Amino acid sequence: VSLILSLSLTPVSKRAGIRFGAIDLPGERKLHDTPIPRTGGAAIFLSFVVALAASTLFQTKVSDLFVLDKQLMSFFAGAAICFGIGLLDDFRSVGPKKKLLCQLAAASMAYWGGLRIQEFAALGVTIHFGTLSYPLTLFWFVLFINAVNLMDGLDGLAAGVVFFTSVAMVFIAAIGNSFLIAAFFAALAGSILGFLRYNLHPAKIFLGDGGSYFLGYVVAGLSILGAFKSPVGFLLLVPLVALGVPLFDTILSPLRRFLKGKKIFSPDQDHVHHRLLRMGFTTQTAVFLVYAITFCLCV
């Protein structure tokens, strides 16, 4: 359902972006030479939400698990905040500090609802985080949100990497009998796959901040939710490993800028995908190389 919706809604989002001026114009730091709408996140967001809502119409053991309790309601509220501030930035520029505050607000909303990294259990060992739970949870969300956002520099790169991560999470969650989390990631994978039909090089539409913030938040939130719903502690570890390349890049970026005497929020062209292009790889080759790395990490 999410795949069909995404295939149908992405062209609509493209026309809306053109109609209302959410356009990514060519520039010095841009790799495209024609104006491209950056409203693809709206199609993914709507496809994901509507598909999950539609699943409740079927009487199955999995759909019966979909109960809007405090955790899920806070999860969706945070997702709406992230998507909303990102989409607003796609139409008119919002300062980095304001966007960071909204990301922290979304993460705090999730924490308030019970989505917290309180402990990690695996291989018979349990680590309790105590008072560090809140800052660790906020860091977890902000890290994933900005990792996906910073990775969104080549056609199909960010969406494709999150797609592979989502597919891996479907299988791992199902193996651990966490079927609700598997269903959530299946809906996310379908919405991304439909969008990729229009986002692979040469892209006809971009994710935009609305899409990248939403994807990063959902992966971060569902991994925590999965740790609650299943005894499999590795549900927290899998997205951390699968998104290892962009996460590592995100952690190094502000440090690199600080050492160069630049503002830590200032954009640059030293991310992994930029370096691959400077090494002589084409856009398609660079993207598929990162895909291959992500696939191997997932396996």
Side-chain angles (χ1 to χ4, degrees), residues 226-239:
F228 274 101
K229 304 291 185 181
S230 168
V232 183
F234 286 111
L235 282 177
L236 266 180
L237 207 56
V238 173

Side-chain angles (χ1 to χ4, degrees), residues 20-92:
F20 296 106
I23 303 293
D24 198 325
L25 299 173
E28 186 176 323
R29 293 183 56 255
K30 305 300 176 65
L31 300 176
H32 56 92
D33 51 13
T34 58
I36 297 177
R38 50 184 180 221
T39 47
I44 292 177
F45 176 80
L46 290 173
S47 300
F48 177 74
V49 173
V50 173
L52 290 178
S55 70
T56 61
L57 300 176
F58 299 92
Q59 296 298 316
T60 69
K61 292 182 179 179
V62 176
S63 62
D64 288 344
L65 298 173
F66 191 4
V67 179
L68 279 178
D69 54 14
K70 187 178 180 181
Q71 281 187 338
L72 279 183
M73 289 180 68
S74 65
F75 166 75
F76 283 113
I81 292 173
C82 272
F83 170 68
I85 188 61
L87 187 65
L88 178 62
D89 187 63
D90 292 328
F91 281 89
R92 61 180 188 183

Side-chain angles (χ1 to χ4, degrees), residues 59-298:
Q59 296 298 316
T60 69
K61 292 182 179 179
V62 176
S63 62
D64 288 344
L65 298 173
F66 191 4
V67 179
L68 279 178
D69 54 14
K70 187 178 180 181
Q71 281 187 338
L72 279 183
M73 289 180 68
S74 65
F75 166 75
F76 283 113
I81 292 173
C82 272
F83 170 68
I85 188 61
L87 187 65
L88 178 62
D89 187 63
D90 292 328
F91 281 89
R92 61 180 188 183
S93 181
V94 178
K97 292 182 180 178
K98 292 180 180 178
K99 289 189 285 188
L100 178 59
L101 284 175
C102 287
Q103 293 172 15
L104 292 172
S108 297
M109 177 69 71
Y111 183 89
W112 171 82
L115 286 180
R116 307 171 182 179
I117 303 178
Q118 295 176 307
E119 61 181 34
F120 178 79
L123 302 177
V125 178
T126 301
I127 302 174
H128 298 278
F129 296 109
T131 56
L132 294 176
S133 175
Y134 180 60
L136 182 60
T137 302
L138 261 61
F139 176 75
W140 179 268
F141 275 101
V142 172
L143 178 62
F144 275 84
I145 291 168
N146 288 284
V148 177
N149 180 249
L150 291 178
M151 184 173 46
D152 191 26
L154 297 180
D155 296 350
L157 181 58
V161 169
V162 177
F163 169 75
F164 284 115
T165 303
S166 299
V167 171
M169 290 297 285
V170 170
F171 285 101
I172 292 171
I175 290 172
N177 295 322
S178 188
F179 297 112
L180 179 64
I181 303 304
F184 273 48
F185 272 111
L188 186 64
S191 63
I192 296 172
L193 187 58
F195 167 76
L196 278 172
R197 162 69 177 77
Y198 308 94
N199 184 237
L200 289 175
H201 188 75
K204 301 177 180 64
I205 186 172
F206 291 153
L207 267 178
D209 282 358
S212 60
Y213 286 7
F214 173 72
L215 290 180
Y217 174 91
V218 170
V219 172
L222 288 182
S223 60
I224 297 176
L225 186 63
F228 274 101
K229 304 291 185 181
S230 168
V232 183
F234 286 111
L235 282 177
L236 266 180
L237 207 56
V238 173
L240 197 63
V241 174
L243 291 171
V245 173
L247 290 175
F248 185 69
D249 192 22
T250 302
I251 293 173
L252 284 184
S253 291
L255 178 61
R256 180 181 65 240
R257 292 163 187 162
F258 174 77
L259 293 175
K260 289 183 177 181
K262 298 180 179 179
K263 295 180 179 179
I264 61 173
F265 292 116
S266 62
D268 58 34
Q269 289 188 309
D270 283 324
H271 298 298
V272 171
H273 51 275
H274 291 128
R275 293 175 181 271
L276 289 173
L277 293 179
R278 286 200 294 271
M279 289 171 63
F281 290 100
T282 64
T283 297
Q284 296 97 318
T285 305
V287 169
F288 283 108
L289 178 60
V290 178
Y291 281 2
I293 294 173
T294 304
F295 178 79
C296 292
L297 290 174
C298 289

